[in-house]
Amino acid sequence: MTTAALQPQTTTSQPALGDLIALVSGVLILIAYLILPLRSDGGATGFAFIDSGTTFPALTLIVGVSAIVAAIVNITSLREQAARWYFAGLGVVGLVFLFDNALRGKPGLALGGWLAMLGCVLMLIQVILPRPGYVAHARPSDVVFALIRVLVATLWFTQLLWKLPWNNFGCAAGALTPAAGTSGLCDWIGKEIAQPRYGLYKDFLTNVISPNLSWMAFLIVGGEAFICVSLMFGVLTRLGGLAGFLMGINLFIGLTAVANEWDWTYLMLPLLNLAFLVIGGRYFGIDGLLYQRLSTPNSSGLAKLIARFVS
């Protein structure tokens, strides 16, 4: 993809109906999660429900947020026809929650769940609508990589849910003391210490991380939160991909010697994140919008440098 493909080349100032529908769809999903019960087995809102350790409800939420971001970016800057396929892909991914819930025989969806599913269906419907005056530069691979970016962002999001600061980082009540067999972050660091791949890494955990975990836990969670937001919004995506790659390498070193852990899990994770160091978030993320704003002929040297980073 050339950088010219990211320059404004539209012939209309009117946003396409399909983009507006995608925007409304994302808002519907977000409202459903904010204020309504998601499933009929309880009155918990969607935001409370996703903290239960389930993956697909969290994925549907990220789909909604990503749809809002992409719709705004496409309306204001990109005007890319292939956005229809990106939104349709988001709709399919979001509907996985419904099918998984039904096939596993779980309690049915409540009002919030059905409203979220309606948002996903609307994202499928918009694919048939024309986008007059829009450009056609994105390749199928751009759409696929953008969808993969959303999935990887969801992975990092779900890993945040069980180690949030207000839940004591997932550790047992009291001081943050790593020990295998406890819970949350303390448990996993304890397992890394108990079953190290490298002695030097064990020494690092024992002498540096463990005695300072009360404040270093914020760095760990903050780093994962940055990766999640970067990939979800497609903003500073190359930096988010680099951070995800480094975090993935750290997990590979720390966890591949732990019993019942699969080496390839922690090899594929850094490689997936490394892809976005190369690809960036130009389709369909905020980086595409930033590039257009920062790469004008009158931009400063610093702005043009940042533009190269987000291209």
Side-chain angles (χ1 to χ4, degrees):
M1 181 189 308
T2 63
T3 54
L6 299 176
Q7 299 291 349
Q9 301 179 46
T10 63
T11 59
T12 178
S13 60
Q14 297 299 318
L17 179 59
D19 284 353
L20 296 176
I21 290 176
L23 178 60
V24 170
S25 300
V27 171
L28 282 178
I29 294 173
L30 196 57
I31 290 174
Y33 274 75
L34 275 172
I35 63 176
L36 296 171
L38 196 63
R39 214 166 65 178
S40 60
D41 54 343
T45 65
F47 277 106
F49 184 83
I50 59 175
D51 200 16
S52 63
T54 53
T55 297
F56 294 125
L59 178 57
T60 301
L61 171 63
I62 302 301
V63 160
V65 174
S66 300
I68 293 172
V69 171
I72 292 174
V73 169
N74 208 46
I75 288 171
T76 59
S77 294
L78 291 182
R79 298 299 179 90
E80 170 59 60
Q81 291 185 18
R84 71 177 69 215
W85 301 111
Y86 174 68
F87 292 129
L90 288 178
V92 170
V93 170
L95 285 171
V96 170
F97 172 43
L98 172 63
F99 291 106
D100 179 72
N101 198 67
L103 292 173
R104 295 176 65 194
K106 297 294 185 179
L109 301 183
L111 178 59
W114 285 116
L115 187 63
M117 294 304 104
L118 174 62
C120 294
V121 170
L122 288 175
M123 279 191 262
L124 290 175
I125 293 175
Q126 62 75 41
V127 78
I128 66 174
L129 299 174
R131 282 175 163 77
Y134 276 34
V135 298
H137 285 299
R139 302 165 298 187
S141 60
D142 298 321
V143 175
V144 171
F145 278 119
L147 291 171
I148 293 174
R149 174 167 54 80
V150 173
L151 292 171
V152 177
T154 304
L155 182 155
W156 288 108
F157 179 69
T158 56
Q159 298 314 296
L160 282 173
L161 294 177
W162 57 268
K163 52 171 132 23
L164 295 171
W166 48 88
N167 289 337
N168 205 37
F169 299 97
C171 298
L176 301 183
T177 304
T182 53
S183 61
L185 186 61
C186 294
D187 179 37
W188 284 102
I189 295 178
K191 289 179 179 178
E192 291 178 332
I193 294 173
Q195 303 173 67
R197 186 179 186 93
Y198 304 114
L200 286 175
Y201 190 73
K202 177 182 178 179
D203 293 340
F204 170 71
L205 293 175
T206 302
N207 300 321
V208 179
I209 299 297
S210 295
N212 298 294
L213 189 58
S214 59
W215 63 269
M216 294 195 76
F218 287 95
L219 296 181
I220 295 170
V221 171
E224 292 188 7
F226 168 72
I227 299 167
C228 172
V229 171
S230 173
L231 297 181
M232 186 193 321
F233 289 87
V235 58
L236 299 178
T237 312
R238 296 183 190 276
L239 184 58
L242 175 61
F245 170 73
L246 295 175
M247 187 76 78
I249 291 295
N250 176 69
L251 293 173
F252 178 87
I253 294 172
L255 291 173
T256 50
V258 173
N260 301 317
E261 292 296 309
W262 188 37
D263 290 9
W264 279 97
T265 299
Y266 303 103
L267 185 58
M268 289 186 288
L269 178 60
L271 293 179
L272 277 172
N273 284 272
L274 183 63
F276 295 103
L277 175 61
V278 178
I279 299 166
R282 44 200 170 183
Y283 287 101
F284 293 86
I286 294 176
D287 281 349
L289 185 152
L290 291 177
Y291 180 83
Q292 292 183 1
R293 299 295 187 272
L294 296 171
S295 61
T296 63
N298 297 325
S299 296
S300 66
L302 177 60
K304 291 180 178 179
L305 177 62
I306 298 174
R308 293 183 64 182
F309 187 75
V310 300
S311 64

PDB file of all heavy atoms in Angstrom, residues 225-258:
ATOM      1  N   ALA A 225      -2.560  -2.435  28.947  1.00  0.00           N
ATOM      2  CA  ALA A 225      -3.658  -1.539  28.581  1.00  0.00           C
ATOM      3  C   ALA A 225      -3.293  -0.705  27.361  1.00  0.00           C
ATOM      4  O   ALA A 225      -4.123  -0.485  26.468  1.00  0.00           O
ATOM      5  CB  ALA A 225      -4.007  -0.636  29.761  1.00  0.00           C
ATOM      6  N   PHE A 226      -2.044  -0.229  27.309  1.00  0.00           N
ATOM      7  CA  PHE A 226      -1.610   0.543  26.142  1.00  0.00           C
ATOM      8  C   PHE A 226      -1.672  -0.295  24.870  1.00  0.00           C
ATOM      9  O   PHE A 226      -2.138   0.171  23.827  1.00  0.00           O
ATOM     10  CB  PHE A 226      -0.190   1.069  26.341  1.00  0.00           C
ATOM     11  CG  PHE A 226       0.407   1.622  25.075  1.00  0.00           C
ATOM     12  CD1 PHE A 226      -0.038   2.824  24.547  1.00  0.00           C
ATOM     13  CD2 PHE A 226       1.378   0.913  24.384  1.00  0.00           C
ATOM     14  CE1 PHE A 226       0.487   3.321  23.365  1.00  0.00           C
ATOM     15  CE2 PHE A 226       1.914   1.396  23.208  1.00  0.00           C
ATOM     16  CZ  PHE A 226       1.471   2.613  22.692  1.00  0.00           C
ATOM     17  N   ILE A 227      -1.190  -1.538  24.944  1.00  0.00           N
ATOM     18  CA  ILE A 227      -1.233  -2.417  23.774  1.00  0.00           C
ATOM     19  C   ILE A 227      -2.670  -2.612  23.314  1.00  0.00           C
ATOM     20  O   ILE A 227      -2.980  -2.523  22.117  1.00  0.00           O
ATOM     21  CB  ILE A 227      -0.588  -3.778  24.092  1.00  0.00           C
ATOM     22  CG1 ILE A 227       0.879  -3.596  24.472  1.00  0.00           C
ATOM     23  CG2 ILE A 227      -0.699  -4.723  22.892  1.00  0.00           C
ATOM     24  CD1 ILE A 227       1.515  -4.826  25.100  1.00  0.00           C
ATOM     25  N   CYS A 228      -3.562  -2.873  24.262  1.00  0.00           N
ATOM     26  CA  CYS A 228      -4.969  -3.091  23.945  1.00  0.00           C
ATOM     27  C   CYS A 228      -5.574  -1.879  23.254  1.00  0.00           C
ATOM     28  O   CYS A 228      -6.195  -1.996  22.196  1.00  0.00           O
ATOM     29  CB  CYS A 228      -5.742  -3.418  25.230  1.00  0.00           C
ATOM     30  SG  CYS A 228      -7.533  -3.476  25.026  1.00  0.00           S
ATOM     31  N   VAL A 229      -5.392  -0.695  23.843  1.00  0.00           N
ATOM     32  CA  VAL A 229      -5.983   0.528  23.280  1.00  0.00           C
ATOM     33  C   VAL A 229      -5.361   0.847  21.925  1.00  0.00           C
ATOM     34  O   VAL A 229      -6.059   1.239  20.978  1.00  0.00           O
ATOM     35  CB  VAL A 229      -5.794   1.701  24.259  1.00  0.00           C
ATOM     36  CG1 VAL A 229      -6.196   3.021  23.615  1.00  0.00           C
ATOM     37  CG2 VAL A 229      -6.623   1.469  25.527  1.00  0.00           C
ATOM     38  N   SER A 230      -4.042   0.685  21.813  1.00  0.00           N
ATOM     39  CA  SER A 230      -3.359   0.973  20.557  1.00  0.00           C
ATOM     40  C   SER A 230      -3.914   0.137  19.417  1.00  0.00           C
ATOM     41  O   SER A 230      -4.205   0.653  18.327  1.00  0.00           O
ATOM     42  CB  SER A 230      -1.858   0.724  20.723  1.00  0.00           C
ATOM     43  OG  SER A 230      -1.187   0.847  19.488  1.00  0.00           O
ATOM     44  N   LEU A 231      -4.081  -1.167  19.653  1.00  0.00           N
ATOM     45  CA  LEU A 231      -4.566  -2.046  18.596  1.00  0.00           C
ATOM     46  C   LEU A 231      -6.066  -1.879  18.370  1.00  0.00           C
ATOM     47  O   LEU A 231      -6.543  -1.961  17.239  1.00  0.00           O
ATOM     48  CB  LEU A 231      -4.243  -3.505  18.952  1.00  0.00           C
ATOM     49  CG  LEU A 231      -2.755  -3.849  19.051  1.00  0.00           C
ATOM     50  CD1 LEU A 231      -2.571  -5.327  19.376  1.00  0.00           C
ATOM     51  CD2 LEU A 231      -2.005  -3.500  17.770  1.00  0.00           C
ATOM     52  N   MET A 232      -6.822  -1.655  19.432  1.00  0.00           N
ATOM     53  CA  MET A 232      -8.271  -1.500  19.287  1.00  0.00           C
ATOM     54  C   MET A 232      -8.619  -0.261  18.468  1.00  0.00           C
ATOM     55  O   MET A 232      -9.453  -0.308  17.569  1.00  0.00           O
ATOM     56  CB  MET A 232      -8.923  -1.400  20.672  1.00  0.00           C
ATOM     57  CG  MET A 232     -10.439  -1.374  20.635  1.00  0.00           C
ATOM     58  SD  MET A 232     -11.189  -0.892  22.226  1.00  0.00           S
ATOM     59  CE  MET A 232     -10.153  -1.712  23.425  1.00  0.00           C
ATOM     60  N   PHE A 233      -7.951   0.848  18.761  1.00  0.00           N
ATOM     61  CA  PHE A 233      -8.247   2.103  18.082  1.00  0.00           C
ATOM     62  C   PHE A 233      -7.383   2.308  16.839  1.00  0.00           C
ATOM     63  O   PHE A 233      -7.630   3.241  16.081  1.00  0.00           O
ATOM     64  CB  PHE A 233      -8.052   3.279  19.034  1.00  0.00           C
ATOM     65  CG  PHE A 233      -9.091   3.383  20.103  1.00  0.00           C
ATOM     66  CD1 PHE A 233      -8.954   2.696  21.284  1.00  0.00           C
ATOM     67  CD2 PHE A 233     -10.223   4.157  19.919  1.00  0.00           C
ATOM     68  CE1 PHE A 233      -9.903   2.786  22.286  1.00  0.00           C
ATOM     69  CE2 PHE A 233     -11.188   4.256  20.903  1.00  0.00           C
ATOM     70  CZ  PHE A 233     -11.033   3.562  22.095  1.00  0.00           C
ATOM     71  N   GLY A 234      -6.375   1.474  16.652  1.00  0.00           N
ATOM     72  CA  GLY A 234      -5.480   1.689  15.530  1.00  0.00           C
ATOM     73  C   GLY A 234      -4.720   2.988  15.660  1.00  0.00           C
ATOM     74  O   GLY A 234      -4.509   3.692  14.678  1.00  0.00           O
ATOM     75  N   VAL A 235      -4.292   3.318  16.873  1.00  0.00           N
ATOM     76  CA  VAL A 235      -3.584   4.574  17.124  1.00  0.00           C
ATOM     77  C   VAL A 235      -2.190   4.253  17.655  1.00  0.00           C
ATOM     78  O   VAL A 235      -2.035   3.444  18.572  1.00  0.00           O
ATOM     79  CB  VAL A 235      -4.369   5.472  18.106  1.00  0.00           C
ATOM     80  CG1 VAL A 235      -4.613   4.780  19.441  1.00  0.00           C
ATOM     81  CG2 VAL A 235      -3.662   6.798  18.309  1.00  0.00           C
ATOM     82  N   LEU A 236      -1.174   4.878  17.043  1.00  0.00           N
ATOM     83  CA  LEU A 236       0.219   4.539  17.364  1.00  0.00           C
ATOM     84  C   LEU A 236       0.392   3.018  17.318  1.00  0.00           C
ATOM     85  O   LEU A 236       1.030   2.418  18.184  1.00  0.00           O
ATOM     86  CB  LEU A 236       0.608   5.098  18.739  1.00  0.00           C
ATOM     87  CG  LEU A 236       0.530   6.626  18.903  1.00  0.00           C
ATOM     88  CD1 LEU A 236       0.908   7.020  20.323  1.00  0.00           C
ATOM     89  CD2 LEU A 236       1.425   7.338  17.900  1.00  0.00           C
ATOM     90  N   THR A 237      -0.183   2.431  16.292  1.00  0.00           N
ATOM     91  CA  THR A 237      -0.270   0.969  16.218  1.00  0.00           C
ATOM     92  C   THR A 237       1.097   0.319  16.122  1.00  0.00           C
ATOM     93  O   THR A 237       1.304  -0.775  16.661  1.00  0.00           O
ATOM     94  CB  THR A 237      -1.135   0.567  15.008  1.00  0.00           C
ATOM     95  OG1 THR A 237      -2.333   1.338  15.015  1.00  0.00           O
ATOM     96  CG2 THR A 237      -1.487  -0.904  15.061  1.00  0.00           C
ATOM     97  N   ARG A 238       2.012   0.952  15.430  1.00  0.00           N
ATOM     98  CA  ARG A 238       3.354   0.371  15.327  1.00  0.00           C
ATOM     99  C   ARG A 238       4.009   0.287  16.711  1.00  0.00           C
ATOM    100  O   ARG A 238       4.659  -0.714  17.039  1.00  0.00           O
ATOM    101  CB  ARG A 238       4.218   1.193  14.375  1.00  0.00           C
ATOM    102  CG  ARG A 238       3.717   1.195  12.934  1.00  0.00           C
ATOM    103  CD  ARG A 238       4.674   1.976  12.044  1.00  0.00           C
ATOM    104  NE  ARG A 238       4.114   2.191  10.725  1.00  0.00           N
ATOM    105  CZ  ARG A 238       4.180   1.322   9.727  1.00  0.00           C
ATOM    106  NH1 ARG A 238       4.782   0.167   9.907  1.00  0.00           N
ATOM    107  NH2 ARG A 238       3.647   1.602   8.550  1.00  0.00           N
ATOM    108  N   LEU A 239       3.832   1.334  17.517  1.00  0.00           N
ATOM    109  CA  LEU A 239       4.378   1.319  18.864  1.00  0.00           C
ATOM    110  C   LEU A 239       3.660   0.266  19.713  1.00  0.00           C
ATOM    111  O   LEU A 239       4.295  -0.452  20.497  1.00  0.00           O
ATOM    112  CB  LEU A 239       4.236   2.700  19.504  1.00  0.00           C
ATOM    113  CG  LEU A 239       4.851   2.870  20.894  1.00  0.00           C
ATOM    114  CD1 LEU A 239       6.346   2.557  20.861  1.00  0.00           C
ATOM    115  CD2 LEU A 239       4.617   4.294  21.396  1.00  0.00           C
ATOM    116  N   GLY A 240       2.334   0.160  19.553  1.00  0.00           N
ATOM    117  CA  GLY A 240       1.595  -0.870  20.263  1.00  0.00           C
ATOM    118  C   GLY A 240       2.023  -2.264  19.851  1.00  0.00           C
ATOM    119  O   GLY A 240       2.131  -3.170  20.688  1.00  0.00           O
ATOM    120  N   GLY A 241       2.276  -2.457  18.551  1.00  0.00           N
ATOM    121  CA  GLY A 241       2.751  -3.746  18.077  1.00  0.00           C
ATOM    122  C   GLY A 241       4.117  -4.092  18.647  1.00  0.00           C
ATOM    123  O   GLY A 241       4.376  -5.237  19.023  1.00  0.00           O
ATOM    124  N   LEU A 242       4.999  -3.078  18.731  1.00  0.00           N
ATOM    125  CA  LEU A 242       6.321  -3.303  19.313  1.00  0.00           C
ATOM    126  C   LEU A 242       6.206  -3.669  20.788  1.00  0.00           C
ATOM    127  O   LEU A 242       6.867  -4.611  21.262  1.00  0.00           O
ATOM    128  CB  LEU A 242       7.180  -2.050  19.151  1.00  0.00           C
ATOM    129  CG  LEU A 242       8.558  -2.090  19.818  1.00  0.00           C
ATOM    130  CD1 LEU A 242       9.409  -3.217  19.242  1.00  0.00           C
ATOM    131  CD2 LEU A 242       9.269  -0.737  19.663  1.00  0.00           C
ATOM    132  N   ALA A 243       5.350  -2.934  21.528  1.00  0.00           N
ATOM    133  CA  ALA A 243       5.162  -3.237  22.949  1.00  0.00           C
ATOM    134  C   ALA A 243       4.584  -4.634  23.128  1.00  0.00           C
ATOM    135  O   ALA A 243       4.986  -5.383  24.022  1.00  0.00           O
ATOM    136  CB  ALA A 243       4.248  -2.185  23.586  1.00  0.00           C
ATOM    137  N   GLY A 244       3.630  -5.010  22.267  1.00  0.00           N
ATOM    138  CA  GLY A 244       3.049  -6.340  22.346  1.00  0.00           C
ATOM    139  C   GLY A 244       4.064  -7.427  22.032  1.00  0.00           C
ATOM    140  O   GLY A 244       4.053  -8.496  22.648  1.00  0.00           O
ATOM    141  N   PHE A 245       4.940  -7.141  21.069  1.00  0.00           N
ATOM    142  CA  PHE A 245       5.993  -8.102  20.730  1.00  0.00           C
ATOM    143  C   PHE A 245       6.930  -8.323  21.916  1.00  0.00           C
ATOM    144  O   PHE A 245       7.243  -9.466  22.282  1.00  0.00           O
ATOM    145  CB  PHE A 245       6.780  -7.589  19.519  1.00  0.00           C
ATOM    146  CG  PHE A 245       8.020  -8.360  19.214  1.00  0.00           C
ATOM    147  CD1 PHE A 245       7.953  -9.628  18.656  1.00  0.00           C
ATOM    148  CD2 PHE A 245       9.280  -7.824  19.487  1.00  0.00           C
ATOM    149  CE1 PHE A 245       9.099 -10.350  18.372  1.00  0.00           C
ATOM    150  CE2 PHE A 245      10.432  -8.539  19.217  1.00  0.00           C
ATOM    151  CZ  PHE A 245      10.344  -9.813  18.657  1.00  0.00           C
ATOM    152  N   LEU A 246       7.357  -7.231  22.550  1.00  0.00           N
ATOM    153  CA  LEU A 246       8.266  -7.341  23.686  1.00  0.00           C
ATOM    154  C   LEU A 246       7.592  -8.023  24.871  1.00  0.00           C
ATOM    155  O   LEU A 246       8.202  -8.854  25.558  1.00  0.00           O
ATOM    156  CB  LEU A 246       8.778  -5.954  24.082  1.00  0.00           C
ATOM    157  CG  LEU A 246       9.642  -5.246  23.038  1.00  0.00           C
ATOM    158  CD1 LEU A 246       9.992  -3.842  23.490  1.00  0.00           C
ATOM    159  CD2 LEU A 246      10.911  -6.045  22.747  1.00  0.00           C
ATOM    160  N   MET A 247       6.317  -7.685  25.104  1.00  0.00           N
ATOM    161  CA  MET A 247       5.585  -8.332  26.186  1.00  0.00           C
ATOM    162  C   MET A 247       5.414  -9.817  25.892  1.00  0.00           C
ATOM    163  O   MET A 247       5.517 -10.655  26.794  1.00  0.00           O
ATOM    164  CB  MET A 247       4.214  -7.675  26.351  1.00  0.00           C
ATOM    165  CG  MET A 247       3.420  -8.160  27.554  1.00  0.00           C
ATOM    166  SD  MET A 247       4.008  -7.499  29.120  1.00  0.00           S
ATOM    167  CE  MET A 247       3.311  -5.842  29.060  1.00  0.00           C
ATOM    168  N   GLY A 248       5.176 -10.153  24.635  1.00  0.00           N
ATOM    169  CA  GLY A 248       5.039 -11.550  24.255  1.00  0.00           C
ATOM    170  C   GLY A 248       6.332 -12.331  24.447  1.00  0.00           C
ATOM    171  O   GLY A 248       6.318 -13.480  24.901  1.00  0.00           O
ATOM    172  N   ILE A 249       7.469 -11.714  24.111  1.00  0.00           N
ATOM    173  CA  ILE A 249       8.764 -12.359  24.328  1.00  0.00           C
ATOM    174  C   ILE A 249       8.989 -12.596  25.821  1.00  0.00           C
ATOM    175  O   ILE A 249       9.481 -13.654  26.237  1.00  0.00           O
ATOM    176  CB  ILE A 249       9.906 -11.500  23.745  1.00  0.00           C
ATOM    177  CG1 ILE A 249       9.830 -11.485  22.206  1.00  0.00           C
ATOM    178  CG2 ILE A 249      11.259 -12.011  24.209  1.00  0.00           C
ATOM    179  CD1 ILE A 249      10.057 -12.834  21.564  1.00  0.00           C
ATOM    180  N   ASN A 250       8.606 -11.606  26.633  1.00  0.00           N
ATOM    181  CA  ASN A 250       8.724 -11.765  28.084  1.00  0.00           C
ATOM    182  C   ASN A 250       7.896 -12.947  28.580  1.00  0.00           C
ATOM    183  O   ASN A 250       8.353 -13.747  29.413  1.00  0.00           O
ATOM    184  CB  ASN A 250       8.278 -10.476  28.772  1.00  0.00           C
ATOM    185  CG  ASN A 250       8.277 -10.601  30.285  1.00  0.00           C
ATOM    186  OD1 ASN A 250       9.318 -10.696  30.915  1.00  0.00           O
ATOM    187  ND2 ASN A 250       7.092 -10.614  30.867  1.00  0.00           N
ATOM    188  N   LEU A 251       6.674 -13.090  28.048  1.00  0.00           N
ATOM    189  CA  LEU A 251       5.823 -14.214  28.444  1.00  0.00           C
ATOM    190  C   LEU A 251       6.402 -15.539  27.951  1.00  0.00           C
ATOM    191  O   LEU A 251       6.301 -16.558  28.631  1.00  0.00           O
ATOM    192  CB  LEU A 251       4.411 -14.018  27.896  1.00  0.00           C
ATOM    193  CG  LEU A 251       3.630 -12.853  28.501  1.00  0.00           C
ATOM    194  CD1 LEU A 251       2.309 -12.656  27.760  1.00  0.00           C
ATOM    195  CD2 LEU A 251       3.371 -13.075  29.989  1.00  0.00           C
ATOM    196  N   PHE A 252       7.006 -15.533  26.777  1.00  0.00           N
ATOM    197  CA  PHE A 252       7.640 -16.751  26.262  1.00  0.00           C
ATOM    198  C   PHE A 252       8.754 -17.204  27.205  1.00  0.00           C
ATOM    199  O   PHE A 252       8.859 -18.384  27.561  1.00  0.00           O
ATOM    200  CB  PHE A 252       8.199 -16.508  24.862  1.00  0.00           C
ATOM    201  CG  PHE A 252       8.905 -17.698  24.284  1.00  0.00           C
ATOM    202  CD1 PHE A 252       8.197 -18.670  23.598  1.00  0.00           C
ATOM    203  CD2 PHE A 252      10.279 -17.863  24.434  1.00  0.00           C
ATOM    204  CE1 PHE A 252       8.839 -19.784  23.068  1.00  0.00           C
ATOM    205  CE2 PHE A 252      10.930 -18.968  23.909  1.00  0.00           C
ATOM    206  CZ  PHE A 252      10.207 -19.927  23.223  1.00  0.00           C
ATOM    207  N   ILE A 253       9.590 -16.262  27.612  1.00  0.00           N
ATOM    208  CA  ILE A 253      10.693 -16.598  28.507  1.00  0.00           C
ATOM    209  C   ILE A 253      10.179 -17.074  29.859  1.00  0.00           C
ATOM    210  O   ILE A 253      10.697 -18.016  30.449  1.00  0.00           O
ATOM    211  CB  ILE A 253      11.616 -15.372  28.683  1.00  0.00           C
ATOM    212  CG1 ILE A 253      12.310 -15.042  27.355  1.00  0.00           C
ATOM    213  CG2 ILE A 253      12.656 -15.620  29.772  1.00  0.00           C
ATOM    214  CD1 ILE A 253      13.077 -13.734  27.380  1.00  0.00           C
ATOM    215  N   GLY A 254       9.114 -16.415  30.339  1.00  0.00           N
ATOM    216  CA  GLY A 254       8.654 -16.697  31.681  1.00  0.00           C
ATOM    217  C   GLY A 254       7.755 -17.901  31.835  1.00  0.00           C
ATOM    218  O   GLY A 254       7.750 -18.541  32.886  1.00  0.00           O
ATOM    219  N   LEU A 255       7.006 -18.257  30.783  1.00  0.00           N
ATOM    220  CA  LEU A 255       5.942 -19.244  30.976  1.00  0.00           C
ATOM    221  C   LEU A 255       6.123 -20.554  30.212  1.00  0.00           C
ATOM    222  O   LEU A 255       5.416 -21.524  30.495  1.00  0.00           O
ATOM    223  CB  LEU A 255       4.589 -18.624  30.582  1.00  0.00           C
ATOM    224  CG  LEU A 255       4.081 -17.514  31.503  1.00  0.00           C
ATOM    225  CD1 LEU A 255       2.845 -16.864  30.914  1.00  0.00           C
ATOM    226  CD2 LEU A 255       3.794 -18.051  32.893  1.00  0.00           C
ATOM    227  N   THR A 256       7.023 -20.611  29.268  1.00  0.00           N
ATOM    228  CA  THR A 256       7.105 -21.831  28.456  1.00  0.00           C
ATOM    229  C   THR A 256       7.673 -23.025  29.222  1.00  0.00           C
ATOM    230  O   THR A 256       7.560 -24.160  28.753  1.00  0.00           O
ATOM    231  CB  THR A 256       7.942 -21.591  27.189  1.00  0.00           C
ATOM    232  OG1 THR A 256       9.187 -20.974  27.543  1.00  0.00           O
ATOM    233  CG2 THR A 256       7.201 -20.703  26.219  1.00  0.00           C
ATOM    234  N   ALA A 257       8.284 -22.780  30.376  1.00  0.00           N
ATOM    235  CA  ALA A 257       8.768 -23.908  31.188  1.00  0.00           C
ATOM    236  C   ALA A 257       7.760 -24.320  32.254  1.00  0.00           C
ATOM    237  O   ALA A 257       7.965 -25.314  32.949  1.00  0.00           O
ATOM    238  CB  ALA A 257      10.100 -23.553  31.852  1.00  0.00           C
ATOM    239  N   VAL A 258       6.667 -23.564  32.375  1.00  0.00           N
ATOM    240  CA  VAL A 258       5.635 -23.884  33.368  1.00  0.00           C
ATOM    241  C   VAL A 258       4.858 -25.108  32.898  1.00  0.00           C
ATOM    242  O   VAL A 258       4.511 -25.229  31.709  1.00  0.00           O
ATOM    243  CB  VAL A 258       4.699 -22.687  33.585  1.00  0.00           C
ATOM    244  CG1 VAL A 258       3.529 -23.063  34.496  1.00  0.00           C
ATOM    245  CG2 VAL A 258       5.474 -21.517  34.179  1.00  0.00           C
TER     246      VAL A 258
END
